[in-house]
Amino acid sequence: MKLDVTMEHQSAGVINLVVVGVVNIHTSPRLRDALKPLLTEQNKEVHIDLAGVSFMDSSGIATLVEGLQWARQSGGRFVLHKLQAVVLDVFMLAKLDTVFEIAQPLIEDKA
Amino acid sequence: MKLDVTMEHQSAGVINLVVVGVVNIHTSPRLRDALKPLLTEQNKEVHIDLAGVSFMDSSGIATLVEGLQWARQSGGRFVLHKLQAVVLDVFMLAKLDTVFEIAQPLIEDKA
Amino acid sequence: MDCNSDSNNARNKQPLKRNQVDQLNFQLNTQPDCVHILRAMVEVMAARSNLTDMETNRVALAVDELFANITCHGYNNKPGSVTFESHLQHNEDGLQELHFTFRDYAPTVNISHWNCGKSKPCHDLDITPGGLGIRLIHSIMDVVQHEALHDGNQWTLIYVCKHAIKRGRP
Amino acid sequence: MDCNSDSNNARNKQPLKRNQVDQLNFQLNTQPDCVHILRAMVEVMAARSNLTDMETNRVALAVDELFANITCHGYNNKPGSVTFESHLQHNEDGLQELHFTFRDYAPTVNISHWNCGKSKPCHDLDITPGGLGIRLIHSIMDVVQHEALHDGNQWTLIYVCKHAIKRGRP
Ligand SMILES: Nc1ncnc2c1ncn2[C@@H]1O[C@H](COP(=O)(O)OP(=O)(O)O)[C@@H](O)[C@H]1O
Ligand SMILES: Nc1ncnc2c1ncn2[C@@H]1O[C@H](COP(=O)(O)OP(=O)(O)O)[C@@H](O)[C@H]1O
């Protein structure tokens, strides 16, 4: 039933958001509340660490799509990291695995 | 829904049983099946690592009581290790926390 | 899911009465794997009542033990019908109570001889498992009720949410 | 619990019919936290059907999405009544099917215009979330049925257990 979202400043303009738990209609508002304030002019890269996420439904994906749209508008990067197999599967079913930037190891190619 | 039980031979006559998951009427038969064959003349110590157990009900405790009875009859040791707070709480509610040998760090005082 | 948008088919033809909102109702059978669903139900009700993790685990344990007894002793490990209901009751004095009711169709039980022994100590030699389930249920729940029906049993467990007491009961 | 002992109150006055044994029935309301209970139910039914972890997750996703739609679009995020039923059907040809049925009392829906687009590709510019839930449900389930009732809707999802096919269907 739990979703924990922790923000880590990586360096100037680079943010890591570590998400742990299940993302569904019950919990996704918490992810949205944590993500929204990060989608600003100041930030250049937002990295989402999904290693601890065991389930995600379309309400979670919709939340992440907002990050993608921010990246396109601002010229920033929005990267998903370390998806569990069942979560990656949902992105593939949604045909969004090629739309998102998905990097399985965490922030190795920082700009 | 899952319970994984893994046996590790520590040294001659000393066995570690690593239990991960929830122990209830659905899963405790699996724990019993793994534990029973270890309660023999040959073994001197059986250590149960419960660090990965997030829930235990009386069917699980009843299974562990069999180990305790074996220890008393055979003069061996039957030790529970690294109980999570909620599981230790159940042993306390059952007033069995002083009846079992409970060692929170794993096998440090091997005979 | 864009749950923020207004839907024009939003009129709810069968609105729930206020007291139905916090109520869950579940028709299950006494197969051991159903304890997982019961646990999820208890977790949801416990979260709605703001119970701590420790309290949630205890309440889940008591519900688990009662279900196990019905499965094992009531239906002798054969699949049987059980209805499970749970609701959160807000009392006038500000206290919250979590109610859990099981209804079974097993032979009626006479519980008068049960040793519910809240105070029964567990001596060194008294480590047989029998009776532990009932003792755990009684040590956790504030009320444990049994009613013999003509075609089965009704079991009610009530947990008084302690944090509400701490926050100051009038 | 000593579940091995014979109990003398073992006669079950209301034995279940064979087809009731694998059936779960759940009266819930459309509060978002109920998805946790639905997931537990799907996990139990999936384990009974020997689904893999990946299949279990997909089936749980489809059930989650349908419940979210009823909550969000059917009842407009207000608490409403939903009955959820699940059973495992053993067909004569040796195939197993997992059936999930939701019954709601929300305004009846006309789904004829829905783009269920199994084949609809998600282009670069087409990343709005709307319609994703329905697409996911259709991409996972073998049968998606909707029936408009006079006082609500009935939704049926059927998942054909693929491993049974692999093991050789006559
Ligand atoms: N639902 C029930 N129907 C019939 N008898 C029951 C039921 N629950 C408990 N009992 C009786 O109470 C006894 C004690 O139960 P419990 O404390 O759970 O221990 P155990 O199940 O290990 O025997 C049981 O052995 C049984 O005789
Ligand atoms: N249970 C329902 N009742 C009424 N309308 C629904 C229902 N489910 C889906 N819809 C309609 O279908 C559309 C697509 O649903 P979906 O694919 O889940 O995407 P989203 O919920 O993000 O809009 C919804 O926007 C809604 O108009």
Side-chain angles (χ1 to χ4, degrees), chain C residues 10-25:
Chain C
R11 283 166 307 104
N12 174 344
K13 281 185 189 159
Q14 199 200 40
L16 288 174
K17 278 175 259 142
R18 201 180 181 296
N19 61 1
Q20 270 181 278
V21 172
D22 280 332
Q23 179 166 333
L24 297 173
N25 202 300

Side-chain angles (χ1 to χ4, degrees), chain D residues 86-99:
Chain D
S86 177
H87 68 271
L88 185 59
Q89 184 173 302
H90 306 265
N91 292 348
E92 283 178 2
D93 57 6
L95 272 188
Q96 284 191 350
E97 293 179 357
L98 260 174
H99 288 234

Side-chain angles (χ1 to χ4, degrees), chain A residues 1 22 24-26 54-58 61-62 65 68-69 72 85-86 89-90 93-96 99, chain D residues 32-33 35-36 39 53-54 57-58 61 64-65 68 118 120 122 124 127 129 132-133 135-136 139-140:
Chain A
M1 300 208 34
V22 296
N24 54 29
I25 45 163
H26 181 220
S54 56
F55 178 75
M56 185 175 297
D57 72 5
S58 72
I61 293 188
V65 163
L68 192 53
Q69 283 162 338
R72 296 195 171 178
V86 290
D89 182 54
V90 179
L93 285 175
K95 303 205 174 77
L96 288 170
V99 176
Chain D
D33 54 6
V35 292
H36 297 290
R39 189 183 174 89
D53 285 354
M54 191 74 97
N57 187 70
R58 286 184 176 194
L61 177 67
D64 168 298
E65 295 291 345
K118 258 192 193 211
K120 187 182 165 204
C122 213
D124 242 20
I127 54 170
L132 181 52
R135 269 203 336 264
L136 287 171
S139 72
I140 293 164

Side-chain angles (χ1 to χ4, degrees), chain B residues 17 29-41 43 46 62-63 66-67 69-70 78:
Chain B
L17 202 66
R30 248 173 286 163
L31 176 58
R32 196 165 186 272
D33 290 348
L35 182 60
K36 266 280 170 149
L38 307 180
L39 307 178
T40 64
E41 290 272 305
N43 287 328
V46 175
T63 304
E66 295 182 38
Q69 284 162 339
W70 160 83
F78 186 79

Side-chain angles (χ1 to χ4, degrees), chain C residues 3-146:
Chain C
C3 275
N4 301 315
S5 67
D6 263 14
S7 160
N8 56 6
N9 55 10
R11 283 166 307 104
N12 174 344
K13 281 185 189 159
Q14 199 200 40
L16 288 174
K17 278 175 259 142
R18 201 180 181 296
N19 61 1
Q20 270 181 278
V21 172
D22 280 332
Q23 179 166 333
L24 297 173
N25 202 300
F26 181 22
Q27 174 67 47
L28 69 162
N29 43 57
T30 53
Q31 280 167 286
D33 54 6
C34 286
V35 291
H36 297 290
I37 306 170
L38 283 177
R39 187 181 176 90
M41 290 189 86
V42 172
E43 278 172 353
V44 165
M45 295 304 290
R48 290 184 187 178
S49 327
N50 294 315
L51 298 195
T52 64
D53 285 354
M54 190 74 97
E55 283 180 297
T56 301
N57 187 70
R58 287 184 175 194
V59 172
L61 177 68
V63 169
D64 167 299
E65 295 290 345
L66 186 52
F67 176 75
N69 277 346
I70 294 169
T71 301
C72 168
H73 303 297
Y75 285 114
N76 208 24
N77 297 317
K78 300 197 176 59
S81 231
V82 180
T83 307
F84 177 70
E85 187 270 331
S86 176
H87 67 272
L88 185 58
Q89 183 172 303
H90 305 266
N91 292 347
E92 284 179 359
D93 58 5
L95 271 188
Q96 283 190 352
E97 292 178 357
L98 260 174
H99 288 234
F100 302 96
T101 307
F102 284 94
R103 162 54 153 125
D104 69 44
Y105 299 86
T108 53
V109 183
N110 178 358
I111 67 159
S112 61
H113 64 287
W114 283 8
N115 181 357
C116 300
K118 257 192 194 216
S119 56
K120 187 182 165 202
C122 214
H123 293 301
D124 242 20
L125 294 172
D126 177 26
I127 53 170
T128 49
L132 181 52
I134 304 272
R135 268 201 338 264
L136 287 171
I137 295 170
H138 278 86
S139 72
I140 292 164
M141 288 291 168
D142 295 286
V143 176
V144 181
Q145 269 168 359
H146 169 262

